[in-house]
Amino acid sequence: MKKTLLALLTLLPLAAAQEIQPINPSPTTPSTPGTVEPLTPVSSQPVNVPMPSAQPSTLSGVNATLSAPLALKGKATLVLTLKSTLKNDLALAANRDNRQNCAFAPSIRVLKFGTREVVYPDGSGNAMLCAQDMKTDTLKAGGSLRYTRTLELSAGEYMIEGWYQGLAGDNRVKIGAQPVKVTVK
């Protein structure tokens, strides 16, 4: 599903860059019913369209911090804070994630502590069908933004990873934070 969405998003700039002109029959050769006029190319000049990178990159000047209570019962409220050291405001946009219960941001992965067993998101491959809208925010110059998520976890010890993934200006970015360890009683 993500590959299909990525393929569609990479085709949008190509479609937008092409000129659409009406096709009119030549004035010297009248069209008769049943006759098909040959199509002529709109332009013989190649269209130079920058393609977005398939892999997100990190963003210099923006750091992420993930925080959560060290010990909790059942529900874990996680906070991902993006902090900017940039001199200009930065437009951010994130879409809903089908594997993250249709949340915008942050993206979360929970592992059982001491193993690589993923608890969240579930690895069954049963992604949800979410609306494909975007959430936009502005990260002010020298400012910060907070994104929260609440997860229900059973008793145990977990390592939680968090990151922001979306667009920063015109670039795809993934800004990761240090994982945090939590104990659920």
Side-chain angles (χ1 to χ4, degrees):
M1 181 68 124
K2 284 186 179 182
K3 288 183 180 179
T4 304
L5 181 59
L6 180 58
L8 288 173
L9 289 175
T10 56
L11 291 176
L12 286 176
L14 289 174
Q18 293 183 359
E19 296 178 31
I20 300 173
Q21 296 181 353
I23 300 173
N24 296 322
S26 169
T28 58
T29 56
S31 273
T32 58
T35 304
V36 178
E37 295 290 326
L39 296 177
T40 56
V42 174
S43 171
S44 60
Q45 297 296 322
V47 177
N48 206 4
V49 177
M51 295 299 290
S53 169
Q55 293 295 321
S57 64
T58 59
L59 183 61
S60 180
V62 178
N63 298 312
T65 305
L66 182 65
S67 59
L70 298 178
L72 49 107
K73 290 186 179 186
K75 289 188 177 183
T77 299
L78 311 167
V79 179
L80 183 82
T81 304
L82 297 180
K83 184 160 176 55
S84 171
T85 58
L86 301 172
K87 297 189 185 309
N88 297 320
D89 294 353
L90 182 63
L92 299 174
N95 63 327
R96 292 183 187 277
D97 191 328
N98 296 349
R99 296 191 33 88
Q100 298 271 328
N101 292 333
C102 295
F104 285 107
S107 295
I108 301 293
R109 185 167 76 158
V110 180
L111 301 118
K112 281 193 177 179
F113 184 73
T115 72
R116 294 301 297 166
E117 181 184 341
V118 177
V119 175
Y120 179 87
D122 104 17
S124 69
N126 295 330
M128 299 177 79
L129 183 59
C130 308
Q132 293 302 304
D133 50 339
M134 302 280 283
K135 179 180 184 345
T136 58
D137 294 301
T138 300
L139 180 57
K140 297 287 187 187
S144 63
L145 278 174
R146 293 171 39 124
Y147 296 96
T148 61
R149 289 280 298 278
T150 302
L151 297 177
E152 186 105 19
L153 299 171
S154 58
E157 290 186 311
Y158 301 96
M159 187 63 76
I160 301 176
E161 301 170 342
W163 62 92
Y164 175 89
Q165 187 164 330
L167 296 174
D170 293 330
N171 300 313
R172 287 176 32 106
V173 296
K174 182 176 181 180
I175 307 164
Q178 287 285 12
V180 294
K181 180 184 173 192
V182 299
T183 303
V184 179
K185 297 184 185 217

